[in-house]
Amino acid sequence: MEKTEAGKGQAVASAFAPEALIPTFPGPAVLFDAQDGVVQANAAAAPLVSVLADGKLPALSATIDAALKDGKPRQERVDLPPGPPGNAAALQLTLLPDAATGQLLLLGRDATLERNLIQALMQSRQLFKDLVTCSTDFAWETKPDGRFGFVSPRGALGYTARELEGSDARALAAPDEPETPAPSVWPFAAKTPLEAIEVFLRRKDGSIGCFEVSCLPVRDASGQWLGARGVARDVTEARERVDALRRAHKKLNKLANTDGLTGLLNRRAFLAELEKRLARHLRNKLRGTLIYFDLDNFKKVNDVRGHQAGDDVLKAVAEIVQRTLRVVDLASRIGGDEFLIWLEESNRGAAESIAHRLHEAAAELDRQYGVEGFPLGFSIGAVFSRLDRLETTEALISRADEAMYTAKKGGKGRSFIADLPDAGSEAAA
């Protein structure tokens, strides 16, 4: 029995002898003698043996010498010089000295992927650190209790990073924000990803800034919510510039479309809109009314009271018209003391009512601005759009102009409402 066990022990020792292990080892394997000479090496160890022989790995040579002298195993990682493909391999080495034989067995495994991953991670972390440090954006991370756990080195809102870290993010909410904003819209407690939302935050000096924020929730492996992290950009000035441009654009549009004195539509804008209205009314078989009127004895106001008084009269007429019309109606000063009104979806009764109200307003206008013996008043002509065919704006205005002069022929301060232009068509509702 003892002989059998001894035989097994010898077999085991033989199976794990360096001479048997080296040829079958999957990685580099080298057996060194006491003078660092190579006794045996497999094919995978050829690049390592070559650079050692060329003296290109002095640190590894020194480690082998030290292990041979003190007989202690060692772990070492080395980077081989770049080979023909240009990639430098990394090896994780185990050095096993044998005091009895004075030899040293070196076993290695390819650690290139591991090294590359570590380097990539380190580069990525450094890149992130550099970007965060250089960026003027506000990078942050909050904890489950809503407090900042991380703030980019520059700080934000006039606070240093140290002042913000550990503070409650809700304290930054602008006064008009809810005391505890909903997590769905409050990025510092986001439970879902948010992208480029605008949030108003209070700076250290008390001023309010507009910030564009993108963020992600932070969860552990089990899905439990741990807080949020994101980036905020101060867009206050950019927003103010955009608002200023919008106001300027709106002002330019108004100047382009309105009469500078009265604020009513100018002739061009009125005709453009009237053309759309006429087409829509014809499609829907609806009737509209165009009223053409001018001021009686307006020239006397200019001659006797001066042009400033004349301008005041025209502005007063515009105010009268704006008070009289509905929101859907249109009004324009087309030149001098001549005005146009479009009554949306209207009939004869509506036209008569507007004419009556204008004449009533003219009486007050005369009391305020009129010249004795030359009363201010309105000569009003009204016509209706056609239901049988599309009429041009020029043709419709020409008919309204004729109606106005018909009113004048009957005496100043009068109105004339024409008959329907398309015999047999239904009257407006």
Side-chain angles (χ1 to χ4, degrees), residues 195-199 210-214 231-236:
E195 184 174 354
I197 65 166
E198 286 191 352
V199 177
C210 180
F211 288 77
E212 185 180 85
V213 185
S214 297
V231 179
R233 172 175 297 177
D234 191 338
V235 295
T236 309

Side-chain angles (χ1 to χ4, degrees), residues 42-247:
N42 61 8
L48 176 63
V49 171
S50 175
V51 295
L52 278 171
D54 293 341
K56 294 180 179 179
L57 292 176
L60 178 60
S61 296
T63 302
I64 293 173
D65 288 341
L68 285 168
K69 289 178 180 178
D70 61 22
K72 295 180 180 180
R74 282 171 170 75
Q75 293 281 340
E76 189 80 7
R77 208 197 79 169
V78 298
D79 292 325
L80 297 182
N87 294 322
L91 297 176
Q92 183 66 40
L93 304 177
T94 300
L95 281 61
L96 302 171
D98 185 350
T101 63
Q103 295 178 325
L104 180 143
L105 177 63
L106 180 150
L107 301 175
R109 65 177 178 84
D110 190 344
T112 307
L113 178 60
E114 177 183 328
R115 179 203 61 187
N116 291 345
L117 288 174
I118 292 173
Q119 287 180 346
L121 177 60
M122 292 178 64
Q123 290 172 356
S124 176
R125 291 181 65 182
Q126 186 62 43
L127 174 62
F128 172 76
K129 182 179 178 181
D130 291 344
L131 290 176
V132 169
T133 301
C134 296
S135 175
T136 57
D137 292 351
F138 166 29
W140 51 269
E141 182 174 276
T142 52
K143 298 179 179 179
D145 61 2
R147 297 181 179 276
F148 287 111
F150 166 80
V151 175
S152 49
R154 286 178 180 268
L157 301 161
Y159 297 96
T160 65
R162 185 182 296 274
E163 287 175 317
L164 286 176
E165 288 175 353
S167 67
D168 191 340
R170 288 171 295 184
L172 300 179
D176 57 343
E177 293 287 329
E179 183 177 349
T180 307
S184 60
V185 296
W186 182 241
F188 301 105
K191 300 294 177 64
T192 59
L194 298 173
E195 184 174 354
I197 65 166
E198 286 191 352
V199 177
F200 289 90
L201 303 177
R202 179 169 48 194
R203 299 188 181 91
K204 187 176 182 179
D205 62 8
S207 62
I208 304 300
C210 180
F211 288 77
E212 185 180 85
V213 185
S214 297
C215 62
L216 295 169
V218 179
R219 301 183 185 277
D220 62 15
S222 66
Q224 183 178 358
W225 184 74
L226 301 178
R229 64 168 64 109
V231 179
R233 172 175 297 177
D234 191 338
V235 295
T236 309
E237 291 185 3
R239 183 180 175 134
E240 288 173 351
R241 286 195 295 270
V242 170
D243 289 344
L245 286 174
R246 287 174 179 167
R247 289 193 297 270

Side-chain angles (χ1 to χ4, degrees), residues 214-291:
S214 297
C215 62
L216 295 169
V218 179
R219 301 183 185 277
D220 62 15
S222 66
Q224 183 178 358
W225 184 74
L226 301 178
R229 64 168 64 109
V231 179
R233 172 175 297 177
D234 191 338
V235 295
T236 309
E237 291 185 3
R239 183 180 175 134
E240 288 173 351
R241 286 195 295 270
V242 170
D243 289 344
L245 286 174
R246 287 174 179 167
R247 289 193 297 270
H249 183 66
K250 186 176 180 180
K251 185 176 181 180
L252 287 173
N253 280 340
K254 184 176 181 180
L255 290 173
N257 294 325
T258 59
D259 173 56
L261 180 64
T262 63
L264 300 178
L265 291 175
N266 59 29
R267 184 185 183 95
R268 181 192 60 78
F270 183 87
L271 292 180
E273 183 60 27
L274 179 60
E275 187 173 10
K276 298 177 186 176
R277 302 287 182 99
L278 288 174
R280 185 170 66 247
H281 276 58
L282 182 62
R283 284 196 306 272
N284 298 323
K285 299 301 180 184
L286 298 172
R287 190 80 73 180
T289 305
L290 184 67
I291 296 175

